Amino acid sequence: MAQVGRYRFLTIAVVFHLIYIYSIFSIYFVSPVVHGMREHRLENQEAPAKRLVLFVGDGLRADKAFQSFPDPDPANRGLEEAKVPRPLAPFLRSRVLEHGTFGVSHTRVPTESRPGHVALIAGLYEDVSAVTTGWKLNPVHFDSVFNRSRHTWSWGSPDILPMFEQGAVPGRVYADTYDAEAEDNSKDAWVLDTWVFDKVKALFAEAKTNATLNAELRQDKNVFFLHLLGLDTTGHSHRPFSWQYLHNIQIVDQGVREMTELIEQFYDDGKTAFVFTADHGMSDWGSHGDGHPDNTRTPLIAWGSGIPAPVVNKSGVARGHEDGFSSDWALEHVQRHDVAQADVAALMAYLAGLAFPTNSVGELPLSYLDTDLKTKAEALLVNAQEILEMYHVKEDLKRSTELRYKPFPGLGDETHSVEYRVSQIRKSIDTGGADDAIRQSQELIQLGLQGLRYLQTYDWLFLRTLITFGYLGWIAFALTTVIDLHVLHGNSKTVRTLSSEIIFSSILVVLYSVLFKQQSPWIYYAYAFFPVLFWEEVWARLPAIKQGGKVLFANVNSPADIVSLSLSTLGFFGLLVALGESYFTREIYTVCYLLASSWPIFYGETFMKKNYGAVFSWIVSCTFMSTFTLLPANKAESLSNIMCGGALMLAVGVLYMAFKALNDISSSDSERASTKTGIVSTIIYGAQTGLVALAMIVTRSSVIKLRAREGLGPGNLYVGWFTLLTSLILPSAYPRHANRHYLQRLIVIFLQFAPTFIILTISYEGLFYFSFCFCLFSWMRLEHRVYLHISNSPGKAAVVANPLKLAVAAASHRLAGSKKGGYRSLTLADARIALFFFFLIQSAFFSASNIASVSSFSLDAVYRLVPIFDPFSQGALLMLKLMVPFAALSATFGLLNRRLGVAPSALFMVVMAVSDVMTLSFFYKVKDEGSWLDIGTTISHFVIASLLGVFVAGLELVSESIIGGVEFEDEEIKEHTNGYANGKAGVKLPDAKDAIKQT
């Protein structure tokens, strides 16, 4: 590879990290969907039910469905009897107590509507990577209960129903959806549920006059699906403990009762089975997506034809309540039957007499079947055969591509073959040993699932090895590039021999041959390419590494130097470890900030006295920042906190305008020569400050209206969008030569994003933005003072010279160096600055939220701009809010690079290399089984850590565009000469620019 320049390095960094992020999906989350399986159904048995009705209360938590609360109905508010706690779903509760079977259905991550419904209706746990293909109208091809039915009628959300309609046999699934605009989070959401109930009533009313429809409805194997989105929408807007959410439960319960009575009256044959459940739960702060138990536990109630009556223990606590989760439901005397969410699909298929969906991994929950043991045994055997059919198809695919395939030991020989085991189960059923047949079938199902797991993880070792060498190669390559560009300034040469080229080329050819034989996806070739590319480049630059090492460690001679370096290295990696743990414990940032506040002490009393202003602001800003990670990441809306943060931002704008006005008054005539430019700049400053005030006004109005459920009028929406977009665009209107001073540029950037952090905040995020920017400014100033202190420390000849001459010389040298493109070399001390920057990146992620948890982001704020449910635009606004602190961080770090005289990309490159030490650690911590909370958390951690590489590369480019044209000369000379001028009272110092010209 030719010498790697700055932009080529950034391009490689972005491409490598984006490709390698996908590696966890290639390894841990390969799609379970295959095709070509035969269908399996229970033959020669009358179906328990002629039809099935599925109710899904989207976003309904299991505990809220069964707990007792005071009556939340607004019509009864104020009545004494309404204050008495009572079950909110009396009809569903009556099914549990008298007519059916109930339990908790446990979902998997991501706890979102699409994968939840896929698990319920298709019986498969869709891999996480499928969400990236679009969970709305881009379904993967999979079989489902709906597709196996004679006819399915469904009503509900346009985000869910179409994917089952499009994925089924044409004409088999009828989907009736309301308009997307109906999902308005600024209005009462239970109207979505009443819309569904009204549509069902209309269908059966029409059947009385439509003979064709009547005949279709009276056929067997029909399915009715009612998707009830009101709970989910209400929970997002008001939280699941709000009266609105609890009242929505009452509305759903009333609707389910009406639908049950309507359908039973229409058919009047007692052959309808009913299933009520939810796709996912909801956290206390109104979100879902991760694996928190509140998101994964949903209610499951089944009643009607084919469902047994409840098992009641009159003398004590019934089975199933051992975990204590249902202790406050007053149902401990009724046996609880928990299932995995995919098991519901198998249950519905059995009840309606349908073939099991061919992609289903659900196990038929026998406790929900009202039949004899023999029938249960036969049904479970068919269930096992369906799962094993999937295993056979997957095994045949794997065997056809592997060089040396090794079969799954549990099903790999004649004694343990599927055929032998099925014959033994059949023999037990025929001889009356139904219990033994059930036990054997359950074991066979588990073996089938283990076999599927074995095939799913077959390539793990090979792929993990590739990815590990890729990340290690990147770290080595990045550090080598830093040494070459910013320590040796590109003066090193690569050394490639014929033998080394043959060796590395041969490794790549062998890897590609294996991948070609195995018919691997194209991305696997990229996984194999990067390790060879990086390690070949590192090998070719070994002389540069040795030479750079001599330069970096030139001053490490004495034992004291070695000890100091060793301690610094331990501290460096200690902080990296702490940052890794901070993904689990946010309070680590509090400790780190408090320790960082004492950092200036290490430079001595003289330094602190001389730079007391910078030191004081640093201590104060660190103290402010240390408080945020002690606050809860999952916040409730607080208008007072929003306004307080906005007031601080507004104060910054007003105070700076006053400062600028006073400065203009005291400036000389020559400095006021460009009057037109100054007037335009002042007007834009005023407009930016005014937009902050406007953001506060419109946000307050929107919050009040949303709380009152009045709906956002066009005025709030238009003004909100105008304020947000104008604040982001307005800085581009500044005259070309305005705001050259670094402080002016920072204020412009601060005000540019202030309205964003008012409109899109729900609590203390605005206070965080103010404190974070204050901390960045203090850090930049203090780092520069430390650099000057070290540069002019005793022992250097420069210290005895006139400070003014030193300042002029330094400024002129920097100007000359900049024109020539020259910068100083990096030193070991710069590693600390890079580490501080890396710490601040992590702090920007975690101080105001917990980005590792999807559920820590509330949608309350985005409803002020997008009240209609739209996951992509709402997600984009959340991402904008998340990115704002990094714009300020990139600008500050870019300015610091300039002040320290290092190349723009130098410290960014160091950070990109260091960050992947943490990424590789998280790569091996990714889980695809176990508790849902662990799975979701480990995925989030790896993706965040890996994206940091891309993010830092982007920050450098953003920094370059933001701080272009900024000047420091006057500021630097003032800092150098301040002490000298104080000591020489009455001596007039020459103008800084004139001094530079004279030099």
Side-chain angles (χ1 to χ4, degrees), residues 805-820 822 996 999:
K805 293 182 178 179
L806 280 174
V808 172
S812 61
H813 291 161
R814 178 151 48 183
L815 286 173
S818 298
K819 291 177 181 178
K820 296 177 182 179
I996 293 173
T999 303

Side-chain angles (χ1 to χ4, degrees), residues 203-225:
L203 175 77
F204 285 97
E206 182 184 351
K208 295 178 180 180
T209 58
N210 186 330
T212 302
L213 175 61
N214 193 316
E216 289 181 347
L217 288 173
R218 294 188 182 278
Q219 292 178 319
D220 63 352
K221 296 181 172 59
N222 282 339
V223 175
F224 302 92
F225 171 42

Side-chain angles (χ1 to χ4, degrees), residues 745 749 890-895 898 958-966:
R745 188 67 57 88
I749 295 169
S890 65
T892 304
F893 195 56
L895 291 173
R898 290 194 178 190
V958 170
S959 170
E960 186 177 11
S961 64
I962 290 178
I963 64 172
V966 172

Side-chain angles (χ1 to χ4, degrees), residues 27-80:
I27 297 173
Y28 301 102
F29 302 101
V30 178
S31 175
V33 178
V34 291
H35 302 93
M37 288 81 70
R38 298 171 298 166
E39 69 174 44
H40 291 78
R41 73 172 74 233
L42 186 62
E43 304 290 349
N44 304 320
Q45 294 279 352
E46 181 183 356
K50 290 185 176 180
R51 66 202 66 87
L52 177 103
V53 181
L54 171 64
F55 302 94
V56 175
D58 200 311
L60 177 59
R61 276 168 50 163
D63 55 352
K64 301 302 179 185
F66 298 115
Q67 289 171 339
S68 295
F69 298 91
D71 189 357
D73 191 339
N76 299 328
R77 191 172 299 163
L79 299 178
E80 281 300 320

Side-chain angles (χ1 to χ4, degrees), residues 894-910:
L895 291 173
L896 180 59
N897 278 351
R898 290 194 178 190
R899 302 202 79 179
L900 301 183
V902 299
S905 59
L907 295 177
F908 282 101
M909 287 184 176
V910 176

Side-chain angles (χ1 to χ4, degrees), residues 49 59 152 158 195 289 310 340 349 478 484 487 519 556 657 712 720 814 818 885 975 986 992 995:
T152 293
W195 181 95
D484 181 31
V487 176
Q519 300 178 18
V556 182
M657 285 192 65
L712 284 182
R814 178 151 48 183
S818 298
E975 291 173 353

